[in-house]
């Protein structure tokens, strides 16, 4: 609230409130830079994570060759590559890990996420070829995990770490050539466009600091709880737990139940008090299954994605695991299996 | 077109119904025989090979598009 009192003005103006807003914006930038262990002048606040992804992928592109991206990228990356008119998809293995050997030599930019947003698998960024500008979509991991070592530009989204919506973070490594793919603007920061939402940027920075401060403890706890869910789900007949069991995000787990429809599964679990997501076609507005599950070649129906929050307790998980086998059994019985 | 010993017409069914149909009826053919699933739901393209993997059956391929062939191996 104090941020709204002091940070309402245009940080580009020289009057008192403008200077005040500029100070607050620079402060937010410094906090984010410190949390991510990057330089403050590498950090730009954007209008959303999607905006940061678009500016990152397209801004560091060199030449007009293919925009190569893994088949399991967030749709923001896929849309940017398609918009550029040169998308090339790189296959992934069954756990969702990109095939680093498939990058075309003439690629103009390579876009690979830090971690997959649906199945949690961490990508082998260190194995990717040198010589092609590398954009890393770090939206799923930013705050929870330190940044990977390899990237020329990367993007994050504040709402993913518990910050406000409408704030993205674009980080462009010092020395990387970045050219705006969109019409320019006359902001203080050349990579930004439009009047920055200073209060929201401050909120994003404060939330990031809080997440980073407690991540060692929270990650260890969530990693162990997810381990429990993975083991229990895998013990249910014909349930496939997907994503890498070890090299993964700490808080996310995805599995698919054979012969069960995703919508009924989500609805039934919701009725019992467990809010889960799904990558099944019947739960999507487009009625097509998750591209991620498709690319991995794993079952797309009966899919459940459980995302733990920082205050999910072992009791919550135990309660969920107590009802899950019966819910799956009941739904299968309804279709005669 | 590769012949099949059993043809399941699942056109018009949404996921997971084609896979449920396959799961219920593949055992009607002897081991070594082929079941064809006709499906126009896009999820079948991923889910039928995945079913084969999970149930230890052999996925033969899609021929022509929208017709998925499975060989019963056990």
């Amino acid at each position: 609230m104090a941020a709204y009192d002091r940070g309402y003005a245009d940080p580009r103006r020289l009057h008192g409130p403008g200077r005040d807003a500029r100070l607050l914006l620079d402060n937010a930038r410094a906090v984010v830079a410190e949390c991510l262990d990057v330089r403050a002048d590498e950090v730009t606040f954007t209008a959303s994570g999607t905006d940061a992804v678009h500016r990152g992928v397209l801004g560091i592109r060199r030449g007009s060759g293919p925009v190569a991206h893994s088949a399991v990228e967030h749709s923001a990356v896929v849309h940017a590559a398609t918009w550029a008119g040169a998308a090339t998809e790189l296959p992934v293995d069954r756990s969702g890990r990109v095939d680093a050997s498939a990058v075309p030599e003439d690629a103009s930019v390579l876009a690979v996420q830090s971690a997959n947003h649906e199945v949690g698998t961490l990508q082998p960024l260190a194995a990717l070829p040198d010589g092609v500008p590398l954009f890393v979509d770090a939206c799923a991991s930013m705050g929870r995990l330190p940044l990977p070592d390899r990237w020329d530009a990367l993007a994050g989204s504040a709402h993913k770490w518990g910050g406000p919506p409408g704030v993205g973070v674009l980080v462009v490594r010092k020395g990387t050539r970045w050219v705006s793919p969109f019409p320019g603007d006359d902001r203080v920061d050349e990579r930004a466009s439009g009047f920055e939402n200073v209060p929201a940027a401050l909120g994003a920075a404060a939330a990031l600091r809080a997440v980073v401060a407690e991540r060692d403890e929270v990650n260890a706890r969530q990693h162990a709880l997810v381990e429990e869910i993975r083991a229990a789900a895998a013990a249910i007949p014909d349930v496939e737990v997907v994503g890498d069991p070890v090299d993964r995000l700490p808080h996310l787990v995805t599995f698919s139940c054979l012969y069960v429809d995703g919508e009924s599964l989500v609805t039934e679990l919701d009725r019992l008090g467990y809010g889960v997501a799904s990558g099944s076609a019947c739960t999507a507005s487009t009625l097509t299954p998750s591209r991620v599950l498709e690319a991995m070649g794993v079952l797309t129906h009966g899919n459940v994605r459980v995302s733990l929050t920082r205050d999910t307790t072992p009791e919550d998980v135990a309660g969920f695991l107590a009802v899950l086998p019966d819910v799956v059994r009941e739904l299968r019985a309804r279709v005669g299996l | 077109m590769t012949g099949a010993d059993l043809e399941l017409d699942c056109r018009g069914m949404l996921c997971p119904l084609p896979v449920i149909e396959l799961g219920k009826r593949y055992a009607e053919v002897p081991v070594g025989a082929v079941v064809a699933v006709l499906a126009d739901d896009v999820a079948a393209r991923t889910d039928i090979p995945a079913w084969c993997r999970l149930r230890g059956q052999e996925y033969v391929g899609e021929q022509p598009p929208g017709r998925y062939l499975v060989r019963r191996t056990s």
Side-chain angles (χ1 to χ4, degrees), chain A residues 291-313:
Chain A
R291 283 182 306 102
V292 172
L293 301 176
E294 236 175 25
M296 291 165 63
V298 298
L299 213 57
T300 71
H301 70 249
N303 182 258
V304 170
R305 179 161 78 244
V306 181
S307 187
L308 304 183
T309 63
R310 57 189 287 278
D311 44 21
T312 302
T313 64

Side-chain angles (χ1 to χ4, degrees), chain A:
Chain A
M1 283 303 114
Y4 276 98
D5 284 340
R6 284 185 57 205
Y8 65 89
D10 186 344
R12 207 178 41 156
R13 303 292 167 210
L14 294 177
H15 47 56
R19 276 204 293 261
D20 212 15
R22 173 78 196 274
L23 204 67
L24 293 176
L25 184 63
D26 285 345
N27 182 21
R29 198 191 312 275
V31 169
V32 168
E34 192 195 326
C35 290
L36 301 180
D37 199 18
V38 299
R39 298 165 53 113
D41 61 0
E42 292 174 328
V43 175
T44 297
F45 290 107
T46 62
S48 64
T50 300
D51 185 34
V53 165
H54 293 169
R55 288 171 184 279
V57 173
L58 302 170
I60 61 169
R61 194 174 174 211
R62 251 188 341 240
S64 56
V67 175
H69 63 85
S70 86
V72 295
E73 293 302 306
H74 187 274
S75 62
V77 171
V78 180
H79 281 298
T82 307
W83 186 79
T88 295
E89 209 173 79
L90 308 173
V92 297
D93 65 15
R94 181 132 307 134
S95 66
R97 203 173 287 109
V98 69
D99 179 358
S101 69
V103 180
E105 272 176 30
D106 60 339
S108 58
V109 61
L110 172 57
V112 179
Q113 62 202 180
S114 54
N116 186 265
H117 49 295
E118 289 185 30
V119 302
T121 300
L122 301 182
Q123 294 293 349
L125 298 172
L128 294 170
D130 290 315
V132 180
L134 175 63
F135 168 80
V136 174
D137 172 9
C139 288
S141 69
M142 193 174 277
R144 295 177 189 275
L145 300 176
L147 293 186
D149 294 331
R150 290 253 345 253
W151 52 274
D152 295 309
L154 58 79
S157 184
H159 82 91
K160 298 284 281 179
W161 67 69
V167 181
V169 168
L170 169 65
V171 189
V172 177
R173 175 115 48 199
K174 186 89 184 158
T176 298
R177 184 168 158 273
W178 183 90
V179 179
S180 179
F182 305 130
D185 199 356
D186 302 320
R187 307 306 301 176
V188 176
D189 176 346
E190 59 150 4
R191 291 192 286 267
S193 179
F195 187 164
E196 294 90 346
N197 186 343
V198 177
L202 269 173
L208 184 61
R209 180 146 63 190
V211 167
V212 169
E214 63 176 18
R215 74 177 166 204
D216 288 348
E217 184 266 324
V218 172
N219 288 1
R221 193 151 41 83
Q222 291 182 331
H223 209 276
L225 289 174
V226 162
E227 196 57 54
E228 261 181 62
I229 300 175
R230 291 185 71 97
I236 302 172
D238 293 322
V239 168
E240 186 174 34
V241 183
V242 302
D244 195 285
V246 181
D247 289 330
R248 58 168 170 86
L249 290 172
H251 68 294
L252 198 66
V253 48
T254 300
F255 52 88
S256 295
C257 311
L258 189 61
Y259 305 135
V260 172
D261 99 81
E263 188 180 4
S264 308
L265 193 50
V266 168
T267 308
E268 193 56 22
L269 289 169
D270 181 61
R271 195 179 64 76
L272 296 168
Y274 301 99
V276 298
S278 174
S280 294
C282 46
T283 66
S285 55
T286 52
L287 285 181
T288 54
S290 145
R291 283 182 306 102
V292 172
L293 301 176
E294 236 175 25
M296 291 165 63
V298 298
L299 213 57
T300 71
H301 70 249
N303 182 258
V304 170
R305 179 161 78 244
V306 181
S307 187
L308 304 183
T309 63
R310 57 189 287 278
D311 44 21
T312 302
T313 64
E315 291 71 32
D316 295 335
V317 169
F320 173 72
L321 294 178
V323 301
L324 182 65
D326 289 337
V327 169
V328 172
R329 196 177 307 121
E330 159 67 15
L331 291 174
R332 283 178 179 158
R334 274 191 217 168
V335 296
L337 279 162

